[in-house]
Amino acid sequence: MPNRVLFTACVIILTLLSACSSNKATDYEQISENDKIVIRFSHVVGEDTPKGQAARLFAKLVKERTKGKVEVQVFSNSSLYKDSEELEALAQGRVQMIAPALSKLSDLVPELGVFDLPYLYSDLDGYHKVFDGKIGSLIADSVESKNMVSLAFWDSGFKQFTSNLRPIRKPEDLTGSTMRIMPSSVLDQQFSLLRVNPVQINFNDVYLALEQGKIHGQENTISNIYSKRFYRVQKYMTLSDHGYLGYLVVIDKKFWNRLPVEIQKVIKETMNEVTAWQRNQAVQIEKDKLKEIQDCRCIEITGLTADEKAAWRQLFRPLYQEMEQRLGSTFFSELQLQP
């Protein structure tokens, strides 16, 4: 009889311990200095894209540099949440880090809408100077007011058009088509100027929409066009470099404030290092994936001349004027745009 009582007591204790352990696993919060800190990092693109590779490298380095105390769990390809669900998941503590496209944050942080302006800068260095300067700091302050902490700006690259209707060289080549865009008032205005029907679709649903003919085309970077195989369900691709696609890596502010200062330091220093690597890697990946698409000979690829790009820029001038009125001339002067 005593043995049975002892056995029952042991079962109860083990059950209680298991329940406590389970709670820690689902909370993903720091409980004490001796517990592992788990950071769930959700994103929607493929693992071999610039963002996907940088997320994995960041996780690896943080684990090494904290000797396993911090574990960054990376969930790619919308395996946890679609792009339309990530912000809510972050706010509710279901994930701790996300890296949404700047467009998807532009409703919360209006300043980010400026980076949806087509042909804002002719090279990535122009964007990097702004991100790493005064405007980047202003954006970080705005992001913090929305209960997030800005950690880095990452590149995907320049966007290209794809379509099933016709080659796109002139603005009028898009007239009457239905194109997928990311949620952004600037992008909506941009495509309205082109007399296009813009449709907002979650990134992981775009391939099926293209395949089924629900939309005629989309805009994206080479690495995303390649990783999602859009080029296999589209007839034409235009190397237009008409817009920039970048990401803002953010972490939940409440979660961040609970982290020990030394852990915050490791995360910041590692993120800075990974960001420098990511920007170089993004350029190389775009080149490599373009060559692979060219080699497959499964889509007609067109490039724009300087004169053709000038015609697109001229069409988009009203967007610049409206954005300057919205954000103010002081903010716009910090962009140091060429006349």
Side-chain angles (χ1 to χ4, degrees):
M1 186 72 177
N3 287 339
R4 179 175 293 182
V5 172
L6 179 61
F7 174 78
T8 304
C10 288
V11 169
I12 293 171
I13 291 170
L14 288 172
T15 302
L16 290 172
L17 288 173
S18 175
C20 291
S21 175
S22 174
N23 284 339
K24 284 193 289 186
T26 55
D27 284 345
Y28 299 103
E29 296 179 357
Q30 179 195 357
I31 307 300
S32 75
E33 284 296 318
N34 296 321
D35 291 317
K36 179 184 288 187
I37 298 168
V38 178
I39 300 174
R40 285 158 62 95
F41 186 173
S42 172
H43 69 82
V44 302
V45 300
E47 290 189 354
D48 289 332
T49 59
K51 178 163 62 172
Q53 291 190 15
R56 291 205 315 273
L57 178 60
F58 173 73
K60 176 178 178 291
L61 293 178
V62 166
K63 186 174 183 178
E64 290 174 357
R65 292 170 182 181
T66 62
K67 295 180 170 52
K69 182 173 178 62
V70 179
E71 179 183 349
V72 181
Q73 299 177 347
V74 179
F75 299 88
S76 61
N77 268 317
S78 299
S79 58
L80 277 186
Y81 300 105
K82 295 181 179 181
D83 41 4
S84 61
E85 301 168 335
E86 284 189 319
L87 279 170
E88 182 181 358
L90 185 76
Q92 293 181 355
R94 287 179 272 138
V95 295
Q96 289 69 50
M97 283 182 67
I98 58 174
L102 304 184
S103 303
K104 294 167 188 170
L105 289 170
S106 58
D107 283 345
L108 277 179
V109 183
E111 295 92 337
L112 289 172
V114 78
F115 301 111
D116 279 332
L117 288 173
Y119 295 110
L120 187 66
Y121 298 109
S122 59
D123 57 42
L124 293 175
D125 285 344
Y127 292 89
H128 297 162
K129 288 176 183 176
V130 173
F131 295 151
D132 300 339
K134 184 175 179 180
I135 284 183
S137 297
L138 290 172
I139 289 171
D141 291 341
S142 294
V143 167
E144 189 167 356
S145 71
K146 305 299 180 182
N147 297 315
M148 297 177 285
V149 174
S150 171
L151 294 178
F153 288 92
W154 284 356
D155 292 334
S156 182
F158 286 108
K159 293 185 288 188
Q160 324 299 340
F161 290 120
T162 67
S163 174
N164 269 334
L165 291 181
R166 62 186 74 89
I168 299 165
R169 301 192 71 92
K170 307 180 297 296
E172 49 265 38
D173 291 332
L174 280 170
T175 300
S177 60
T178 300
M179 301 283 286
R180 181 264 177 177
I181 66 168
M182 289 185 289
S184 159
S185 60
V186 178
L187 292 179
D188 194 66
Q189 289 176 288
Q190 175 183 327
F191 279 88
S192 294
L193 277 175
L194 294 167
R195 290 181 290 174
V196 165
N197 175 32
V199 178
Q200 296 178 13
I201 301 175
N202 281 317
F203 181 57
N204 270 36
D205 298 330
V206 175
Y207 180 94
L208 189 61
L210 291 170
E211 186 180 44
Q212 294 179 344
K214 293 180 179 179
I215 53 176
H216 298 121
Q218 57 87 53
E219 57 164 9
N220 229 303
T221 57
I222 295 294
S223 59
N224 285 339
I225 291 170
Y226 178 84
S227 68
K228 293 301 182 184
R229 303 297 189 260
F230 295 157
Y231 65 95
R232 294 194 177 275
V233 287
Q234 294 275 264
K235 294 178 181 178
Y236 310 102
M237 180 166 73
T238 301
L239 302 179
S240 50
D241 290 342
H242 64 278
Y244 170 76
L245 175 56
Y247 308 109
L248 184 61
V249 186
V250 296
I251 190 166
D252 176 64
K253 184 178 177 181
K254 291 180 181 177
F255 179 82
W256 176 258
N257 288 340
R258 287 196 295 267
L259 293 176
V261 173
E262 63 271 19
I263 297 297
Q264 291 181 350
K265 183 179 179 183
V266 171
I267 289 174
K268 283 183 177 179
E269 290 178 350
T270 303
M271 184 60 74
N272 289 340
E273 181 180 327
V274 169
T275 297
W277 176 89
Q278 194 272 346
R279 289 175 177 179
N280 290 325
Q281 188 73 351
V283 173
Q284 189 59 50
I285 290 175
E286 292 292 279
K287 290 179 181 178
D288 293 344
K289 298 311 178 188
L290 176 58
K291 185 177 187 307
E292 292 191 42
I293 294 174
Q294 290 170 330
D295 289 346
C296 87
R297 299 180 182 278
C298 49
I299 187 170
E300 182 180 316
I301 301 175
T302 300
L304 297 184
T305 66
D307 287 343
E308 286 171 331
K309 287 184 179 181
W312 288 82
R313 287 192 188 94
Q314 186 59 36
L315 176 73
F316 293 132
R317 293 314 303 173
L319 290 179
Y320 279 73
Q321 295 163 3
E322 183 172 335
M323 183 61 76
E324 184 171 4
Q325 289 178 353
R326 191 187 309 175
L327 299 179
S329 56
T330 301
F331 179 90
F332 236 67
S333 65
E334 291 291 336
L335 296 171
Q336 297 183 346
L337 301 176
Q338 297 297 321

